[in-house]
Amino acid sequence: FVLIFDPFPMMDKFMGKRSYIGWEKLVKGIRKNDIDVISLCNETSKYIFEWLNKKEDKVHPLYPCINSILFNETAEQKREHYALFISRLVKHKKFEDVVFACKKADVKLKVISSVNAIEAQRIVKKYDMQNNVEFHLRVDDKKKFEMIRQASVVINGSIFEGFGMYVAEAITCGTPFVGYSYPTFREIADYASADNIYLARSKDKEDLAKNLILALEEKKFRET
């Protein structure tokens, strides 16, 4: 078995053509008949069949699970007026779109991250949000779940994900999620029958802001 997080054809579609130097030998080996593939969900599986020459019975979607042990150790939290971004700070997460949306919605933004590869502080300064953005680094899962359960909304501007754990975590915590319309997000929402997922037109930061404002107004918090 080989576990595939990010199918290359799916990355090409949503982030543009990319170079995968060094992966050719591994990909060639995975294409052998005796190799089965574990994918993260049905949507990513669609990009694996032709790419790796696999029939459907050779690809097995297996949803990632949240850390339910630590989630169950957290108590219900009093909701506070802030949006929460949980992700690496890299280009395709469109952090600038998130800061823009929070500025338009007049809501504080808290950021949980481990990698800053985009000069995030410069983006915050660009939108004069220095007093309204907090960065939280190396946060453990228990603290993360507490912050999700306190938040008014979880938000992300990502245009590509192999799955989208923060969407599943938001649903688990009963917290609305705002992001761009993307296949794996829609699959997670459908699977969980979540009615508090707000998906904007892809790469349209104005629409992202409108959906954030709507989510803050509707306050669709769900029992966990």
Side-chain angles (χ1 to χ4, degrees):
F1 288 89
V2 173
L3 174 60
I4 302 291
F5 281 83
D6 302 329
F8 294 167
M10 191 175 191
M11 294 173 70
D12 289 343
K13 177 177 179 178
F14 289 96
M15 293 196 293
K17 289 290 184 180
R18 307 171 71 83
S19 175
Y20 305 102
I21 297 173
W23 290 91
E24 298 89 348
K25 184 177 180 180
L26 179 60
V27 170
K28 183 178 179 180
I30 298 173
R31 288 187 174 127
K32 294 180 180 177
N33 291 333
D34 60 342
I35 300 294
D36 281 36
V37 173
I38 298 173
S39 66
L40 299 185
C41 60
N42 293 309
E43 288 295 335
T44 55
S45 296
K46 296 175 183 178
Y47 295 86
I48 290 173
F49 302 134
E50 182 177 355
W51 170 46
L52 295 178
N53 192 32
K54 299 295 178 186
K55 294 182 179 179
E56 290 191 23
D57 63 350
K58 299 290 284 184
V59 179
H60 313 278
L62 182 63
Y63 286 151
C65 61
I66 70 161
N67 188 341
S68 58
I69 295 174
L70 288 185
F71 170 75
N72 290 332
E73 291 181 7
T74 63
E76 291 288 345
Q77 305 288 316
K78 183 179 179 180
R79 293 289 178 177
E80 298 180 13
H81 189 64
Y82 69 82
L84 181 62
F85 174 97
I86 309 167
S87 211
R88 294 176 299 130
L89 291 163
V90 293
K91 187 175 180 180
H92 70 271
K93 306 290 184 175
K94 300 294 181 183
F95 179 68
E96 182 166 347
D97 291 9
V98 171
V99 176
F100 171 86
C102 289
K103 177 77 172 182
K104 293 275 271 190
D106 191 25
V107 64
K108 185 173 185 176
L109 174 64
K110 295 188 180 184
V111 178
I112 294 176
S113 189
S114 59
V115 174
N116 182 3
I118 57 168
E119 299 183 8
Q121 287 80 2
R122 177 188 59 79
I123 293 171
V124 171
K125 186 176 181 180
K126 175 181 176 181
Y127 290 94
D128 193 26
M129 287 281 283
Q130 298 95 316
N131 295 327
N132 289 296
V133 178
E134 290 182 7
F135 290 93
H136 299 259
L137 305 179
R138 294 177 289 278
V139 171
D140 64 27
D141 276 0
K142 185 174 181 181
K143 178 63 176 177
K144 176 180 65 177
F145 286 128
E146 289 174 351
M147 291 178 70
I148 296 173
R149 296 176 91 167
Q150 287 174 340
S152 294
V153 63
V154 171
I155 186 170
N156 204 292
S158 184
I159 58 170
F160 172 80
E161 294 288 350
F163 184 67
M165 280 301 299
Y166 45 80
V167 183
E169 290 169 339
I171 290 171
T172 302
C173 294
T175 304
F177 172 76
V178 176
Y180 286 131
S181 184
Y182 181 73
T184 67
F185 298 169
R186 295 193 296 270
E187 181 175 343
I188 295 168
D190 289 346
Y191 180 83
S193 298
D195 67 347
N196 57 352
I197 306 298
Y198 299 78
L199 299 179
R201 292 186 295 271
S202 186
K203 302 180 184 179
D204 185 339
K205 63 183 181 181
E206 291 283 356
D207 199 41
L208 187 70
K210 288 179 182 178
N211 277 271
L212 174 59
I213 292 168
L214 181 61
L216 291 169
E217 289 175 347
E218 292 189 336
K219 295 183 172 64
K220 288 186 177 180
F221 306 125
R222 299 295 179 246
E223 292 185 5
T224 60

